[in-house]
Amino acid sequence: MATDASRRRLRALEVMERLKRLDTEREARSTAQLRDRMNQLDSEKQSLLHRLSGESRIEGLEGAPYLGRFIRSIRAEVDRISHESARLAPDVAAAEERLRAALAEQKTYEILRLKRLSEERNAQKKREAKDQDELSLLRWKR
């Protein structure tokens, strides 16, 4: 039979593991949001560059005055997106590092809990074997 102290240890490890899992899920959501934002910015940038390459030709002279402003406007927007991406890159790296740390900590508690559980099972098996040995000895002595 498991001791009361070992049961409390196992429950405490289960609680800590659950808390770390919640922590990990929160970090994963945060990291995913930042990655989504980076992907969205990259998609916008690619779309603008595609638009620039496709629409930067003029058919007649009447569009010539507008072409320069169009190209400058697209380039300015691409630069803005590039700056925002560069600003977000360290945040994404930090979020990924926090996620890795949270996963490692969660795994540590899981390993500790499983180790304690295994030790308790082994101790239970030893106690049962000892009890069986005592019963066998009692029967043999009769």
Side-chain angles (χ1 to χ4, degrees), residues 93-134:
E96 288 173 347
E97 184 57 37
R98 285 191 310 270
L99 178 58
R100 274 191 286 281
L103 283 168
E105 205 170 342
Q106 175 187 345
K107 192 66 174 173
T108 300
Y109 283 109
E110 179 184 356
I111 290 169
L112 282 172
R113 181 183 57 83
L114 292 175
K115 182 180 176 188
R116 293 277 188 212
L117 193 59
S118 175
E119 288 171 354
E120 184 57 40
R121 286 181 183 150
N122 289 338
Q124 179 67 27
K125 285 179 184 177
K126 285 181 183 178
R127 286 190 296 271
E128 288 173 0
K130 182 182 172 190
D131 290 345
Q132 287 295 326
D133 289 345
E134 287 178 9

Short mmCIF file of all heavy atoms in Angstrom, two decimals, residues 93-134:
data_model
loop_
_atom_site.label_atom_id
_atom_site.label_comp_id
_atom_site.label_asym_id
_atom_site.label_seq_id
_atom_site.Cartn_x
_atom_site.Cartn_y
_atom_site.Cartn_z
N ALA A 93 11.77 35.06 -31.85
CA ALA A 93 12.85 34.22 -31.32
C ALA A 93 12.73 34.07 -29.80
O ALA A 93 12.91 32.97 -29.27
CB ALA A 93 14.21 34.83 -31.69
N ALA A 94 12.41 35.15 -29.11
CA ALA A 94 12.25 35.09 -27.65
C ALA A 94 11.05 34.22 -27.27
O ALA A 94 11.12 33.43 -26.32
CB ALA A 94 12.08 36.50 -27.08
N ALA A 95 9.97 34.35 -28.02
CA ALA A 95 8.78 33.53 -27.74
C ALA A 95 9.07 32.05 -27.97
O ALA A 95 8.63 31.20 -27.19
CB ALA A 95 7.61 33.98 -28.62
N GLU A 96 9.81 31.75 -29.02
CA GLU A 96 10.18 30.35 -29.28
C GLU A 96 11.08 29.80 -28.16
O GLU A 96 10.94 28.65 -27.76
CB GLU A 96 10.85 30.22 -30.64
CG GLU A 96 9.88 30.38 -31.79
CD GLU A 96 10.54 30.44 -33.15
OE1 GLU A 96 11.79 30.60 -33.22
OE2 GLU A 96 9.82 30.32 -34.15
N GLU A 97 11.97 30.63 -27.66
CA GLU A 97 12.85 30.20 -26.57
C GLU A 97 12.04 29.97 -25.29
O GLU A 97 12.27 29.00 -24.56
CB GLU A 97 13.95 31.25 -26.32
CG GLU A 97 14.95 30.83 -25.29
CD GLU A 97 15.64 29.51 -25.60
OE1 GLU A 97 15.93 29.25 -26.78
OE2 GLU A 97 15.88 28.75 -24.65
N ARG A 98 11.08 30.86 -25.01
CA ARG A 98 10.22 30.65 -23.84
C ARG A 98 9.40 29.37 -23.98
O ARG A 98 9.21 28.63 -23.01
CB ARG A 98 9.29 31.85 -23.65
CG ARG A 98 9.96 33.08 -23.08
CD ARG A 98 8.95 34.14 -22.67
NE ARG A 98 7.95 34.45 -23.67
CZ ARG A 98 8.07 35.40 -24.61
NH1 ARG A 98 9.17 36.14 -24.64
NH2 ARG A 98 7.11 35.64 -25.47
N LEU A 99 8.94 29.09 -25.20
CA LEU A 99 8.18 27.87 -25.45
C LEU A 99 9.06 26.64 -25.22
O LEU A 99 8.62 25.68 -24.59
CB LEU A 99 7.62 27.87 -26.87
CG LEU A 99 6.83 26.64 -27.30
CD1 LEU A 99 5.64 26.41 -26.37
CD2 LEU A 99 6.37 26.79 -28.74
N ARG A 100 10.29 26.67 -25.72
CA ARG A 100 11.21 25.55 -25.50
C ARG A 100 11.46 25.33 -24.01
O ARG A 100 11.46 24.20 -23.52
CB ARG A 100 12.53 25.78 -26.22
CG ARG A 100 12.54 25.34 -27.65
CD ARG A 100 13.94 25.33 -28.24
NE ARG A 100 14.45 26.66 -28.51
CZ ARG A 100 14.14 27.39 -29.56
NH1 ARG A 100 13.30 26.92 -30.44
NH2 ARG A 100 14.66 28.59 -29.74
N ALA A 101 11.65 26.42 -23.28
CA ALA A 101 11.90 26.31 -21.83
C ALA A 101 10.67 25.75 -21.11
O ALA A 101 10.79 24.90 -20.22
CB ALA A 101 12.27 27.68 -21.26
N ALA A 102 9.49 26.20 -21.50
CA ALA A 102 8.26 25.71 -20.87
C ALA A 102 8.06 24.22 -21.17
O ALA A 102 7.67 23.45 -20.29
CB ALA A 102 7.05 26.51 -21.37
N LEU A 103 8.36 23.81 -22.39
CA LEU A 103 8.25 22.40 -22.74
C LEU A 103 9.24 21.55 -21.94
O LEU A 103 8.90 20.46 -21.46
CB LEU A 103 8.49 22.19 -24.24
CG LEU A 103 7.33 22.55 -25.15
CD1 LEU A 103 7.79 22.58 -26.61
CD2 LEU A 103 6.19 21.58 -24.98
N ALA A 104 10.45 22.06 -21.79
CA ALA A 104 11.47 21.32 -21.03
C ALA A 104 11.05 21.19 -19.56
O ALA A 104 11.20 20.11 -18.96
CB ALA A 104 12.81 22.03 -21.14
N GLU A 105 10.53 22.26 -19.00
CA GLU A 105 10.10 22.22 -17.61
C GLU A 105 8.91 21.27 -17.43
O GLU A 105 8.86 20.49 -16.46
CB GLU A 105 9.72 23.63 -17.15
CG GLU A 105 9.85 23.83 -15.68
CD GLU A 105 9.72 25.29 -15.30
OE1 GLU A 105 9.87 26.18 -16.16
OE2 GLU A 105 9.44 25.53 -14.13
N GLN A 106 7.98 21.31 -18.36
CA GLN A 106 6.83 20.41 -18.30
C GLN A 106 7.31 18.96 -18.38
O GLN A 106 6.85 18.10 -17.63
CB GLN A 106 5.87 20.70 -19.45
CG GLN A 106 4.71 19.73 -19.53
CD GLN A 106 3.86 19.94 -20.78
OE1 GLN A 106 3.96 20.94 -21.45
NE2 GLN A 106 3.04 18.97 -21.10
N LYS A 107 8.24 18.69 -19.27
CA LYS A 107 8.77 17.33 -19.43
C LYS A 107 9.49 16.88 -18.16
O LYS A 107 9.40 15.70 -17.78
CB LYS A 107 9.70 17.28 -20.64
CG LYS A 107 10.06 15.90 -21.06
CD LYS A 107 8.84 15.17 -21.55
CE LYS A 107 9.22 13.82 -22.11
NZ LYS A 107 8.06 13.03 -22.45
N THR A 108 10.18 17.79 -17.49
CA THR A 108 10.87 17.45 -16.25
C THR A 108 9.89 16.96 -15.20
O THR A 108 10.12 15.93 -14.56
CB THR A 108 11.64 18.68 -15.72
OG1 THR A 108 12.60 19.09 -16.70
CG2 THR A 108 12.34 18.37 -14.42
N TYR A 109 8.80 17.67 -15.04
CA TYR A 109 7.79 17.25 -14.06
C TYR A 109 7.14 15.93 -14.46
O TYR A 109 6.85 15.10 -13.61
CB TYR A 109 6.73 18.33 -13.85
CG TYR A 109 7.22 19.45 -12.97
CD1 TYR A 109 7.50 20.70 -13.49
CD2 TYR A 109 7.44 19.24 -11.62
CE1 TYR A 109 7.97 21.72 -12.68
CE2 TYR A 109 7.91 20.24 -10.80
CZ TYR A 109 8.18 21.49 -11.34
OH TYR A 109 8.65 22.48 -10.53
N GLU A 110 6.94 15.75 -15.76
CA GLU A 110 6.36 14.49 -16.22
C GLU A 110 7.31 13.33 -15.92
O GLU A 110 6.89 12.27 -15.42
CB GLU A 110 6.09 14.56 -17.73
CG GLU A 110 5.52 13.28 -18.29
CD GLU A 110 5.35 13.32 -19.80
OE1 GLU A 110 5.61 14.37 -20.42
OE2 GLU A 110 4.97 12.28 -20.35
N ILE A 111 8.60 13.51 -16.19
CA ILE A 111 9.58 12.47 -15.92
C ILE A 111 9.65 12.17 -14.43
O ILE A 111 9.69 11.00 -14.02
CB ILE A 111 10.96 12.87 -16.49
CG1 ILE A 111 10.92 12.84 -18.02
CG2 ILE A 111 12.06 11.97 -15.95
CD1 ILE A 111 12.13 13.47 -18.68
N LEU A 112 9.67 13.21 -13.61
CA LEU A 112 9.69 13.00 -12.16
C LEU A 112 8.46 12.22 -11.68
O LEU A 112 8.57 11.29 -10.87
CB LEU A 112 9.76 14.34 -11.43
CG LEU A 112 11.11 15.02 -11.37
CD1 LEU A 112 10.96 16.42 -10.78
CD2 LEU A 112 12.08 14.20 -10.55
N ARG A 113 7.30 12.59 -12.18
CA ARG A 113 6.07 11.91 -11.78
C ARG A 113 6.11 10.45 -12.19
O ARG A 113 5.79 9.54 -11.39
CB ARG A 113 4.85 12.60 -12.40
CG ARG A 113 3.52 11.94 -12.00
CD ARG A 113 2.34 12.60 -12.69
NE ARG A 113 2.44 12.60 -14.14
CZ ARG A 113 2.10 11.56 -14.90
NH1 ARG A 113 1.66 10.44 -14.38
NH2 ARG A 113 2.19 11.65 -16.22
N LEU A 114 6.51 10.19 -13.43
CA LEU A 114 6.57 8.81 -13.90
C LEU A 114 7.61 7.99 -13.14
O LEU A 114 7.39 6.80 -12.86
CB LEU A 114 6.85 8.77 -15.41
CG LEU A 114 5.73 9.32 -16.30
CD1 LEU A 114 6.17 9.35 -17.75
CD2 LEU A 114 4.46 8.52 -16.12
N LYS A 115 8.71 8.63 -12.78
CA LYS A 115 9.74 7.93 -12.00
C LYS A 115 9.21 7.58 -10.61
O LYS A 115 9.38 6.46 -10.14
CB LYS A 115 10.98 8.81 -11.88
CG LYS A 115 12.12 8.17 -11.14
CD LYS A 115 13.32 9.08 -11.06
CE LYS A 115 14.41 8.44 -10.21
NZ LYS A 115 15.49 9.36 -9.95
N ARG A 116 8.55 8.53 -9.97
CA ARG A 116 7.97 8.27 -8.64
C ARG A 116 6.91 7.17 -8.73
O ARG A 116 6.84 6.30 -7.87
CB ARG A 116 7.33 9.53 -8.07
CG ARG A 116 8.27 10.61 -7.72
CD ARG A 116 8.86 10.37 -6.37
NE ARG A 116 9.63 11.55 -6.01
CZ ARG A 116 10.70 11.51 -5.28
NH1 ARG A 116 11.11 10.38 -4.78
NH2 ARG A 116 11.36 12.61 -5.02
N LEU A 117 6.10 7.22 -9.76
CA LEU A 117 5.06 6.21 -9.95
C LEU A 117 5.69 4.82 -10.13
O LEU A 117 5.24 3.84 -9.53
CB LEU A 117 4.19 6.58 -11.15
CG LEU A 117 2.88 5.84 -11.33
CD1 LEU A 117 1.99 6.01 -10.11
CD2 LEU A 117 2.18 6.34 -12.58
N SER A 118 6.73 4.76 -10.93
CA SER A 118 7.43 3.50 -11.15
C SER A 118 8.07 3.00 -9.86
O SER A 118 7.99 1.79 -9.55
CB SER A 118 8.50 3.70 -12.22
OG SER A 118 9.27 2.54 -12.37
N GLU A 119 8.70 3.90 -9.10
CA GLU A 119 9.30 3.51 -7.82
C GLU A 119 8.23 2.98 -6.87
O GLU A 119 8.46 1.98 -6.17
CB GLU A 119 10.02 4.70 -7.19
CG GLU A 119 11.30 5.09 -7.89
CD GLU A 119 11.89 6.39 -7.37
OE1 GLU A 119 11.24 7.07 -6.53
OE2 GLU A 119 12.99 6.74 -7.82
N GLU A 120 7.08 3.63 -6.85
CA GLU A 120 6.00 3.19 -5.97
C GLU A 120 5.49 1.81 -6.39
O GLU A 120 5.22 0.96 -5.55
CB GLU A 120 4.87 4.22 -5.97
CG GLU A 120 3.75 3.91 -5.02
CD GLU A 120 4.22 3.76 -3.58
OE1 GLU A 120 5.07 4.55 -3.14
OE2 GLU A 120 3.71 2.86 -2.89
N ARG A 121 5.36 1.58 -7.68
CA ARG A 121 4.92 0.27 -8.16
C ARG A 121 5.93 -0.82 -7.80
O ARG A 121 5.54 -1.92 -7.39
CB ARG A 121 4.69 0.31 -9.67
CG ARG A 121 3.44 1.03 -10.06
CD ARG A 121 3.24 1.02 -11.55
NE ARG A 121 2.06 1.78 -11.91
CZ ARG A 121 1.92 2.44 -13.04
NH1 ARG A 121 2.88 2.42 -13.94
NH2 ARG A 121 0.83 3.12 -13.29
N ASN A 122 7.21 -0.50 -7.98
CA ASN A 122 8.25 -1.48 -7.61
C ASN A 122 8.22 -1.78 -6.12
O ASN A 122 8.36 -2.94 -5.72
CB ASN A 122 9.64 -0.98 -8.03
CG ASN A 122 9.83 -1.00 -9.53
OD1 ASN A 122 9.15 -1.74 -10.24
ND2 ASN A 122 10.75 -0.19 -10.01
N ALA A 123 8.05 -0.74 -5.32
CA ALA A 123 7.97 -0.95 -3.87
C ALA A 123 6.75 -1.79 -3.52
O ALA A 123 6.83 -2.68 -2.64
CB ALA A 123 7.92 0.40 -3.15
N GLN A 124 5.63 -1.54 -4.20
CA GLN A 124 4.42 -2.34 -3.96
C GLN A 124 4.65 -3.80 -4.33
O GLN A 124 4.26 -4.70 -3.59
CB GLN A 124 3.24 -1.76 -4.77
CG GLN A 124 1.95 -2.50 -4.61
CD GLN A 124 1.38 -2.40 -3.21
OE1 GLN A 124 1.63 -1.43 -2.50
NE2 GLN A 124 0.64 -3.41 -2.81
N LYS A 125 5.32 -4.04 -5.45
CA LYS A 125 5.62 -5.42 -5.86
C LYS A 125 6.52 -6.10 -4.83
O LYS A 125 6.33 -7.27 -4.51
CB LYS A 125 6.29 -5.43 -7.24
CG LYS A 125 5.33 -5.16 -8.36
CD LYS A 125 6.06 -5.17 -9.70
CE LYS A 125 5.12 -4.79 -10.83
NZ LYS A 125 5.82 -4.72 -12.12
N LYS A 126 7.51 -5.36 -4.31
CA LYS A 126 8.40 -5.93 -3.30
C LYS A 126 7.63 -6.27 -2.02
O LYS A 126 7.85 -7.32 -1.41
CB LYS A 126 9.53 -4.96 -2.98
CG LYS A 126 10.59 -4.90 -4.05
CD LYS A 126 11.69 -3.93 -3.66
CE LYS A 126 12.72 -3.83 -4.78
NZ LYS A 126 13.78 -2.87 -4.46
N ARG A 127 6.72 -5.38 -1.63
CA ARG A 127 5.92 -5.65 -0.44
C ARG A 127 5.04 -6.88 -0.63
O ARG A 127 4.92 -7.73 0.25
CB ARG A 127 5.07 -4.43 -0.07
CG ARG A 127 5.84 -3.29 0.55
CD ARG A 127 4.92 -2.22 1.11
NE ARG A 127 4.10 -1.55 0.11
CZ ARG A 127 4.47 -0.45 -0.56
NH1 ARG A 127 5.64 0.10 -0.31
NH2 ARG A 127 3.67 0.10 -1.44
N GLU A 128 4.43 -6.99 -1.81
CA GLU A 128 3.60 -8.15 -2.10
C GLU A 128 4.42 -9.43 -2.13
O GLU A 128 3.99 -10.47 -1.62
CB GLU A 128 2.87 -7.95 -3.44
CG GLU A 128 1.77 -6.92 -3.38
CD GLU A 128 1.17 -6.62 -4.75
OE1 GLU A 128 1.62 -7.23 -5.76
OE2 GLU A 128 0.25 -5.78 -4.81
N ALA A 129 5.61 -9.38 -2.71
CA ALA A 129 6.48 -10.55 -2.75
C ALA A 129 6.89 -10.96 -1.33
O ALA A 129 6.93 -12.15 -1.00
CB ALA A 129 7.71 -10.27 -3.60
N LYS A 130 7.18 -9.97 -0.50
CA LYS A 130 7.56 -10.25 0.89
C LYS A 130 6.39 -10.90 1.63
O LYS A 130 6.58 -11.87 2.37
CB LYS A 130 7.98 -8.96 1.59
CG LYS A 130 8.42 -9.14 3.00
CD LYS A 130 8.78 -7.81 3.63
CE LYS A 130 9.03 -8.01 5.11
NZ LYS A 130 9.14 -6.76 5.82
N ASP A 131 5.19 -10.37 1.42
CA ASP A 131 4.00 -10.95 2.05
C ASP A 131 3.78 -12.38 1.58
O ASP A 131 3.46 -13.27 2.38
CB ASP A 131 2.76 -10.11 1.75
CG ASP A 131 2.77 -8.76 2.46
OD1 ASP A 131 3.58 -8.59 3.39
OD2 ASP A 131 1.96 -7.89 2.06
N GLN A 132 3.97 -12.64 0.29
CA GLN A 132 3.81 -13.98 -0.25
C GLN A 132 4.86 -14.93 0.34
O GLN A 132 4.56 -16.08 0.67
CB GLN A 132 3.93 -13.97 -1.78
CG GLN A 132 2.75 -13.40 -2.49
CD GLN A 132 1.50 -14.24 -2.27
OE1 GLN A 132 1.56 -15.46 -2.17
NE2 GLN A 132 0.36 -13.57 -2.18
N ASP A 133 6.09 -14.42 0.50
CA ASP A 133 7.15 -15.24 1.10
C ASP A 133 6.81 -15.60 2.54
O ASP A 133 7.00 -16.75 2.97
CB ASP A 133 8.49 -14.51 1.06
CG ASP A 133 9.06 -14.41 -0.35
OD1 ASP A 133 8.57 -15.15 -1.23
OD2 ASP A 133 9.99 -13.60 -0.56
N GLU A 134 6.29 -14.64 3.28
CA GLU A 134 5.91 -14.90 4.68
C GLU A 134 4.79 -15.94 4.75
O GLU A 134 4.83 -16.84 5.58
CB GLU A 134 5.48 -13.61 5.36
CG GLU A 134 6.60 -12.67 5.69
CD GLU A 134 6.12 -11.38 6.32
OE1 GLU A 134 4.92 -11.26 6.66
OE2 GLU A 134 6.96 -10.47 6.47
#
